[in-house]
């Protein structure tokens, strides 16, 4: 679902980019901004801001259209109300889109949005109108998923589509990712050192085990040789004793002389 939404955003941005490249007059480009900011399925505008064709609006009487496009990329309904005197009037479709974008901005900072805060940010007068907007314009469109908690008077956000990153946010994200990459490299180096140490320790253990087994085997051989040698000596000793007995038995005995 998320991939389909991203693909759809990319397709729409490509279409509007191609249209802008084919236009040359400021009124036509201002009309294109109006069309893009009113499109019900487009919620990303920063890439349109970078188009060389739309930069032609700067310094003309239609420069406010470029400011409005920038507001749709990074701002909220509250921001529009604070600068409405210098911006074009909103069509109903644009007002609805800016409210949707405002919900996405709020969901970036917290996943539990109180009804009172939402009503104030979206310029909604009652809970029924707020819940209808969240269901019909936000959840059904797929930009957010969540649960309406009427008892606690809040909207619990489970998913929210991401908005365009401001240049400052992009720099912070790059810095955060760079820090993470540095930490990951350090951790990887430590892990590799641990693995190297473990391999070395394992080899030493194997070597010591082999030396121990060799010494045991040598001890076994020595003991066996000693036992064999002792057994042979005992056998010779026993055999020699029998031969002495036999020789003594067959040796002629001297006759005793009678005493005078």
């Amino acid at each position: 679902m998320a991939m389909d939404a991203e693909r759809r955003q990319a397709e729409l941005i490509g279409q509007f980019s191609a249209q802008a490249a084919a236009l040359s007059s400021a009124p036509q480009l201002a009309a294109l901004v109006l069309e893009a900011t009113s499109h019900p399925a487009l919620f990303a505008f920063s890439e349109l801001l970078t188009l060389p064709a739309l930069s032609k609006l700067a310094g003309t009487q239609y420069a406010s259209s470029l400011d409005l496009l920038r507001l749709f990329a990074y701002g909220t309904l509250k921001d529009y109300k604070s600068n409405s005197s210098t911006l074009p009037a909103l069509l109903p479709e644009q007002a609805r889109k800016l409210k949707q974008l405002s919900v996405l901005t709020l969901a970036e900072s917290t996943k539990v949005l109180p009804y009172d805060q939402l009503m104030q940010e979206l310029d909604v007068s009652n809970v029924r109108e707020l819940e209808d907007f969240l269901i019909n314009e936000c959840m059904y469109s797929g930009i957010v998923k969540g649960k309406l908690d009427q008892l606690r008077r809040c909207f619990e956000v489970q998913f929210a589509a991401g908005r365009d990153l401001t240049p400052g946010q992009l720099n912070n994200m790059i810095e955060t990712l760079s820090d993470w990459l540095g930490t990951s490299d350090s951790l990887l180096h430590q892990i590799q050192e641990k693995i190297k140490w473990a391999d070395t320790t394992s080899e030493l253990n194997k070597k010591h085990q082999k030396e121990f087994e060799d010494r045991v085997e040598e001890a076994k051989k020595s003991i066996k040789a000693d036992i064999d040698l002792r057994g042979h000596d005992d056998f010779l000793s026993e055999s020699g004793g029998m031969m002495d007995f036999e020789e003594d038995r067959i040796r002629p005995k001297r006759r005793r002389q009678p005493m005078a």
Side-chain angles (χ1 to χ4, degrees):
M1 182 69 70
M3 291 297 296
D4 291 341
E6 291 179 5
R7 189 179 298 110
R8 179 57 175 158
Q9 294 294 299
E11 291 175 352
L12 290 171
I13 291 171
Q15 292 174 13
F16 283 114
S17 297
Q19 293 179 39
L23 301 176
S24 57
S25 68
Q28 291 176 322
L29 291 170
L32 182 66
V33 170
L34 176 64
E35 181 182 356
T37 53
S38 301
H39 197 287
L42 183 61
F43 295 93
F45 303 93
S46 61
E47 290 189 45
L48 298 180
L49 282 171
T50 64
L51 296 177
L54 288 178
S55 64
K56 298 176 183 177
L57 292 174
T60 70
Q61 67 183 90
Y62 297 98
S64 60
S65 293
L66 189 59
D67 294 334
L68 184 65
L69 180 62
R70 187 173 294 106
L71 180 71
F72 271 75
Y74 309 123
T76 63
L77 180 62
K78 189 175 182 179
D79 295 328
Y80 174 83
K81 292 170 66 176
S82 299
N83 300 277
S84 59
S85 60
T86 62
L87 295 170
L90 295 177
L91 297 177
E93 296 82 4
Q94 290 175 305
R96 179 174 61 250
K97 173 66 63 63
L98 205 48
K99 288 182 179 181
Q100 292 171 314
L101 295 172
S102 298
V103 172
L104 295 181
T105 296
L106 292 172
E108 289 178 351
S109 58
T110 179
K111 298 306 179 186
V112 179
L113 304 177
Y115 278 1
D116 291 339
Q117 180 185 12
L118 286 168
M119 286 191 290
Q120 182 179 2
E121 294 286 340
L122 303 181
D123 196 20
V124 174
S125 58
N126 59 73
V127 172
R128 176 61 181 274
E129 183 181 355
L130 173 64
E131 290 182 338
D132 287 346
F133 175 79
L134 292 173
I135 294 172
N136 298 325
E137 307 299 342
C138 294
M139 287 192 279
Y140 281 175
S141 65
I143 61 173
V144 295
K145 294 180 182 178
K147 182 176 67 173
L148 301 175
D149 191 333
Q150 295 179 331
L151 183 62
R152 296 170 55 203
R153 289 175 57 85
C154 66
F155 177 49
E156 297 179 2
V157 181
Q158 298 170 344
F159 161 82
R163 289 202 63 182
D164 293 307
L165 295 175
T166 65
Q169 288 175 317
L170 184 58
N171 291 335
N172 290 338
M173 180 174 288
I174 292 174
E175 183 177 350
T176 300
L177 290 175
S178 297
D179 291 342
W180 176 83
L181 182 60
T183 302
S184 299
D185 287 341
S186 177
L187 182 60
L188 180 60
H189 178 72
Q190 293 178 19
I191 292 174
Q192 289 173 338
E193 289 297 320
K194 292 287 186 182
I195 293 174
K196 183 178 179 181
W197 175 83
D199 290 341
T200 302
T201 303
S202 177
E203 290 299 322
L204 289 174
N205 288 339
K206 289 179 181 178
K207 182 180 179 181
H208 293 160
Q209 180 68 21
K210 181 67 167 56
E211 292 175 351
F212 175 76
E213 291 175 353
D214 290 343
R215 287 199 296 269
V216 170
E217 192 63 30
E218 290 176 2
K220 287 181 179 179
K221 291 178 180 179
S222 177
I223 293 171
K224 184 176 184 299
D226 187 61
I227 291 173
D228 291 344
L229 181 59
R230 288 176 180 273
H232 181 67
D233 291 344
D234 291 345
F235 173 76
L236 291 177
S237 175
E238 291 174 0
S239 299
M242 291 181 65
M243 290 175 65
D244 292 343
F245 174 78
E246 290 294 332
E247 289 175 357
D248 184 67
R249 187 174 62 83
I250 63 176
R251 184 182 297 133
K253 294 184 178 180
R254 292 181 182 180
R255 183 181 301 271
R256 285 185 173 185
Q257 294 296 327
M259 294 181 63

